[in-house]
Amino acid sequence: MQRLHSVEPRPGDPAITPALIAEHGLTVDEFDKLLAMLGREPTFTELGIVSALWSEHCSYKHSRPLLRTLPTDAPYVLQGPGENAGVISIGDGLAIAFKIESHNHPSAVEPYQGAATGVGGILRDVFTMGARPIAMLNSLRFGSLDSARVRYLFAGVVKGIGDYGNCVGIPTVAGEVAFDPSYEGNPLVNAMCVGLLHENELIRAVAQGVGNPIIAVGARTGRDGINGASFASEDLSAESEAKRPRVQVGDPFTEKLLLEASLELIRSGAIVAIQDMGAAGLTSSSAEMAARGDVGVTIDVTKVPVREEGMTPYEILLSESQERMLVVAKQGRENEVTAILEKWDLTAAVIGEVIAEPVYRVTEGDRVVAEFPGIRLVTDCPVYTPEAYESAEVVRLRAIDVSQVAELPEERDPLWTLKELLSSPTIAAKTWVHRQYDTTVRTNTVIGPGGDAAVVRIRGTERALAMKTDCNGRYVYLDPRVGAQIAVCEAARNVACTGGRPMAITNNLNFGNPKRPEVYFQLREAVRGMGEACRALGTPVTGGNVSLYNENPTGAVYPTPVVGMVGLIDSIAHITRSHFQEEHDVIVLLGEPDRNIGGSEYLSRIHGMVAGPPPACDLDGERALIDALVEAIQGGVVRSAHDCSDGGLAVALAECCIMDRGAQRGATVDLKHWRELPARALLFGEAQGRVVISTNMPDTVLSIAKNHGVPGRIIGQVGALDAPLHITTVANELSAPLAKLDEAYHEAIPRIMSRAAVVSP
């Protein structure tokens, strides 16, 4: 390998010792692999580079073989996994770019900045594709709100998401929040962004063109976030709080300027590639762009604009300061790039160039401080397929016959149980959360947070996008394959309930330490189940994120493979809401209940149990249900549609009545047809593949369902405004004034969060 100069230790850098190697997260075998690649001992800067790029967060070394098994192709997929974001065509020369990513570890130690910079990072992933962000979503997991520490994390994360998105001016339109003790020490903070672009403006992060300059644009580089990628690739511990300096600090106002500048750069034609400086900062952005283009690059760190004096090459390369991009410009058009950045009050500095020599080289003036052969820095990352087997404890829990769990005396009144479930923070209304978000900025939001899925109209057309995030970690814990299938199918059902045809997903795989066989088993089986569901529904995976090591000394989080689903609504006239609309409409249940209460919110909330098998997932049946639902909605015969999921049928019916506080309607429901089912399974079991519909044309709805092989049955009628909800089963009757249900559902989280102790204890 040719070199300008020999690569030697930099004065003042620490010696490479076994302790330093271990501190950087490299195993003995990995360090030996590095030695073989270089043919010499690495410098401190090179050790830092490899530590970041070979971290789990950047290299996907435990998940890459599994991810390759996922379906990624469809005629409308313009860009699949491997880029900043996936892109699909939606016709008429338009496309959407979308992706979801995690910021779990940073949010665990600094919830406000951790969540805020997670939003900033996912925004950049989307607008680097040439897309203007039009919507934000999120998926959040916390421990029990009984804990002051959890309330502090919850409040900080929500405020961080809201403040950053609101300042940039992108509506936060949907999401999900769940609470369970398994997330007590390790919250999950996943942020998703959807952007709109013209197909001919799609740009990729592929360095090319020997002699083309490499330009750092946006904010200056500081010392915040150094080793952030490595921090995200280790278990949380009692020492994690000391790693606050690894948490980045965001500036949404600079992000807004960078967004506009980046889109103008792309439209100008002055650049050939653009990449977010995200995890591992300048290191990953430059190395990955070079690898994608199969070219060499050289970077001079003395030319990188910095905001702190005395920064070393190690610090400059590994800083994760926010609101920065790396651009490959066309040779001779550097001044044009600089002028565009100056127009938006941002810096631009040429820091290197694309070279013909197949090396990745970093210099500090005339001194070479790091050099690697070709693209091997990225392509030669270690890959592991560890031992995998299911936890004996999970096998035991799944085998428990939960139908034998004795009912509590209070359960003789099913209204007591229904109110308990409606007030469960996982089920209860999340108005306290989304009231802190600007959900309507840019004026395209048709359905915002609180419905089955969000709907955003595509300005200048008659069409709209539907989008949702979903996952039930409890299901995945009890059966990873089935739980992941359900995550895909529920997200698709939610999109279909608004009238959207599900098209594609992005995923965020949140798991524990993959070196533990039971965790790797969960990851392997969940990816398998997700792939099966995506093939069945025709929704390819266009990209996503893997977040491992989500555990602390008390154990791992529930395996939580979050699905971000997007779908297309052909006409805004077909947009359908979740809550009942008109008195006297007929209520139809598509799908069938069953006897299973395993893995349900009912068992967890009422009996403190996580046991039994999760609900079964019939993939063919789910596809048929979605087809029937979309056809019925497009035919104009559906007034409302609401997925039946957490809490079961009784909760779904109550939500249809009380979801819209401005127009709450009662209902009379007769469930005596299912006389063989125990009342609690019928009311609170979470059988999948079910949707509650209200319609003034029930015969047509049932005919469409029958044509698709979907079970359907009339179960009741929508009542007047403020009339009660009345449900009859063979065993009992439930009659509830809507005011009682409203109080349980809408006031649960505000009541908890009004407690004084929401500060860090």
Side-chain angles (χ1 to χ4, degrees):
M1 181 174 61
Q2 296 178 341
R3 298 188 178 90
L4 292 174
H5 305 282
S6 61
V7 182
E8 297 177 351
R10 181 177 175 274
D13 282 349
I16 306 301
T17 65
L20 188 67
I21 295 165
E23 183 182 327
H24 280 72
L26 294 181
T27 66
V28 172
D29 288 343
E30 288 170 348
F31 186 72
D32 288 344
K33 184 172 184 142
L34 174 60
L35 291 176
M37 179 192 298
L38 295 176
R40 56 175 170 79
E41 185 174 272
T43 64
F44 178 57
T45 301
E46 289 171 330
L47 182 65
I49 290 171
V50 169
S51 170
L53 291 182
W54 288 9
S55 69
E56 195 76 55
H57 195 74
C58 290
S59 75
Y60 291 62
K61 56 190 175 186
H62 282 92
S63 58
R64 195 184 308 170
L66 302 176
L67 298 177
R68 292 195 183 110
T69 68
L70 293 171
T72 59
D73 296 324
Y76 48 83
V77 174
L78 303 180
Q79 177 62 59
E83 265 287 352
N84 288 300
V87 182
I88 62 173
S89 170
I90 57 172
D92 299 329
L94 295 175
I96 59 170
F98 62 105
K99 191 181 182 184
I100 190 169
E101 278 206 345
S102 63
H103 235 217
N104 301 337
H105 282 37
S107 301
V109 299
E110 216 316 299
Y112 180 86
Q113 288 295 349
T117 52
V119 172
I122 198 63
L123 281 167
R124 292 192 296 278
D125 280 342
V126 165
F127 66 71
T128 55
M129 304 303 295
R132 177 171 291 279
I134 60 171
M136 297 289 303
L137 302 85
N138 51 65
S139 179
L140 312 176
R141 300 290 186 279
F142 300 94
S144 170
L145 283 178
D146 292 335
S147 160
R149 173 70 177 173
V150 170
R151 294 196 297 276
Y152 157 74
L153 293 172
F154 179 41
V157 164
V158 170
K159 184 170 175 56
I161 290 171
D163 285 0
Y164 202 100
N166 297 352
C167 289
V168 179
I170 308 300
T172 300
V173 297
E176 53 161 358
V177 191
F179 302 87
D180 189 276
S182 85
Y183 304 103
E184 192 82 19
N186 200 132
L188 302 184
V189 178
N190 295 178
M192 178 176 169
C193 181
V194 178
L196 184 67
L197 70 154
H198 292 280
E199 288 186 25
N200 60 7
E201 291 178 348
L202 172 61
I203 189 169
R204 296 175 173 86
V206 180
Q208 54 189 323
V210 173
N212 279 341
I214 298 173
I215 304 177
V217 304
R220 293 175 175 269
T221 297
R223 289 189 170 96
D224 50 319
I226 293 173
N227 285 326
S230 300
F231 176 43
S233 305
E234 60 190 32
D235 294 341
L236 289 175
S237 66
E239 290 73 42
S240 295
E241 191 73 15
K243 297 179 180 178
R244 281 178 181 265
R246 298 192 187 180
V247 179
Q248 308 92 329
V249 178
D251 178 359
F253 299 104
T254 299
E255 179 93 348
K256 173 62 174 174
L257 298 175
L258 185 60
L259 186 163
E260 300 298 342
S262 297
L263 293 179
E264 186 171 341
L265 275 178
I266 293 166
R267 290 193 298 268
S268 74
I271 66 174
V272 298
I274 183 169
Q275 167 101 351
D276 169 38
M277 289 196 213
L282 176 57
T283 291
S284 65
S285 54
S286 56
E288 289 171 4
M289 281 206 295
R292 291 189 190 110
D294 197 13
V295 295
V297 296
T298 182
I299 301 290
D300 185 347
V301 294
T302 66
K303 297 179 179 179
V304 176
V306 295
R307 63 169 185 259
E308 301 181 48
E309 297 211 2
M311 290 188 68
T312 66
Y314 180 101
E315 293 172 325
I316 292 170
L317 288 166
L318 297 181
S319 166
E320 294 184 10
S321 293
Q322 296 292 284
E323 295 86 39
R324 300 179 302 154
M325 308 288 273
L326 194 65
V327 165
V328 177
K330 294 179 180 177
Q331 193 170 10
R333 301 186 69 173
E334 298 91 334
N335 291 340
E336 191 174 342
V337 171
T338 300
I340 290 172
L341 269 294
E342 288 177 347
K343 169 186 171 182
W344 294 100
D345 292 326
L346 297 170
T347 62
V350 176
I351 64 170
E353 66 175 315
V354 178
I355 58 176
E357 190 179 0
V359 298
Y360 177 82
R361 179 181 296 125
V362 180
T363 65
E364 184 183 25
D366 292 333
R367 177 191 290 121
V368 178
V369 295
E371 186 166 290
F372 296 88
I375 64 173
R376 290 177 59 192
L377 179 59
V378 174
T379 60
D380 282 15
C381 294
V383 176
Y384 300 108
T385 305
E387 183 182 14
Y389 52 76
E390 188 168 19
S391 161
E393 173 63 8
V394 172
V395 173
R396 183 190 70 80
L397 290 172
R398 191 170 60 240
I400 292 174
D401 183 359
V402 292
S403 68
Q404 301 303 309
V405 174
E407 294 188 4
L408 302 178
E410 294 89 342
E411 293 186 71
R412 284 194 291 266
D413 178 5
L415 176 56
W416 177 87
T417 309
L418 177 58
K419 289 195 299 182
E420 281 293 307
L421 289 174
L422 289 173
S423 64
S424 166
T426 292
I427 290 177
K430 306 304 187 297
T431 310
W432 184 91
V433 175
H434 55 73
R435 190 173 282 158
Q436 300 182 55
Y437 304 154
D438 190 332
T439 63
T440 58
V441 63
R442 303 186 64 82
T443 69
N444 292 321
T445 306
V446 181
I447 299 178
D452 276 58
V455 176
V456 176
R457 69 187 176 97
I458 305 170
R459 188 167 294 188
T461 77
E462 289 299 309
R463 295 177 297 162
L465 296 174
M467 56 200 81
K468 186 63 169 66
T469 57
D470 261 307
C471 183
N472 187 315
R474 195 160 52 230
Y475 294 168
V476 186
Y477 173 70
L478 291 170
D479 190 324
R481 182 181 171 193
V482 172
Q485 290 176 349
I486 290 173
V488 174
C489 293
E490 185 175 352
R493 285 197 306 274
N494 278 305
V495 164
C497 281
T498 66
R501 168 68 64 182
M503 292 186 71
I505 76 163
T506 177
N507 59 31
N508 205 137
L509 308 180
N510 303 276
F511 289 78
N513 186 334
K515 297 174 184 176
R516 296 201 292 120
E518 60 271 28
V519 170
Y520 191 74
F521 174 86
Q522 293 172 337
L523 177 62
R524 186 191 71 189
E525 292 302 297
V527 171
R528 179 184 176 192
M530 184 174 290
E532 290 167 340
C534 286
R535 290 184 185 91
L537 301 186
T539 53
V541 182
T542 63
N545 174 246
V546 178
S547 175
L548 304 180
Y549 299 94
N550 289 293
E551 55 183 278
N552 57 67
T554 65
V557 300
Y558 280 158
T560 311
V562 174
V563 170
M565 178 74 71
V566 294
L568 184 65
I569 300 175
D570 289 333
S571 170
I572 56 176
H574 298 151
I575 295 172
T576 303
R577 298 182 183 273
S578 303
H579 54 275
F580 293 145
Q581 300 289 309
E582 298 286 343
E583 184 178 1
H584 305 307
D585 276 352
V586 174
I587 302 171
V588 173
L589 176 65
L590 298 182
E592 286 279 344
D594 62 29
R595 306 181 70 87
N596 184 26
I597 58 172
S600 63
E601 186 70 15
Y602 162 79
L603 269 185
S604 177
R605 176 76 171 179
I606 306 301
H607 295 281
M609 290 184 64
V610 176
C617 186
D618 176 358
L619 296 178
D620 292 337
E622 294 280 5
R623 177 62 184 260
L625 173 64
I626 289 166
D627 289 343
L629 185 56
V630 172
E631 181 181 334
I633 290 174
Q634 291 179 348
V637 298
V638 174
R639 297 251 222 219
S640 72
H642 182 38
D643 171 45
C644 185
S645 56
D646 292 351
L649 180 56
V651 165
L653 289 165
E655 288 174 333
C656 290
C657 293
I658 63 175
M659 194 179 296
D660 181 4
R661 298 190 93 174
Q664 294 180 333
R665 295 184 177 277
T668 301
V669 177
D670 185 347
L671 302 179
K672 290 196 296 292
H673 169 77
W674 293 281
R675 62 181 59 254
E676 302 301 321
L677 292 184
R680 64 177 175 180
L682 177 58
L683 293 173
F684 309 118
E686 297 175 3
Q688 298 296 292
R690 296 183 295 166
V691 173
V692 174
I693 283 176
S694 67
T695 175
N696 63 343
M697 300 180 69
D699 291 343
T700 305
V701 169
L702 292 172
S703 176
I704 291 171
K706 183 178 180 181
N707 290 340
H708 287 276
V710 175
R713 179 167 296 276
I714 293 173
I715 62 171
Q717 188 175 62
V718 178
L721 291 173
D722 298 321
L725 169 63
H726 190 85
I727 303 174
T728 305
T729 71
V730 170
N732 48 39
E733 292 189 1
L734 182 159
S735 188
L738 296 191
K740 287 189 176 181
L741 302 182
D742 176 279
E743 196 276 338
Y745 184 69
H746 287 285
E747 300 303 324
I749 292 178
R751 184 167 54 247
I752 294 170
M753 295 306 293
S754 66
R755 298 174 186 170
V758 295
V759 296
S760 181

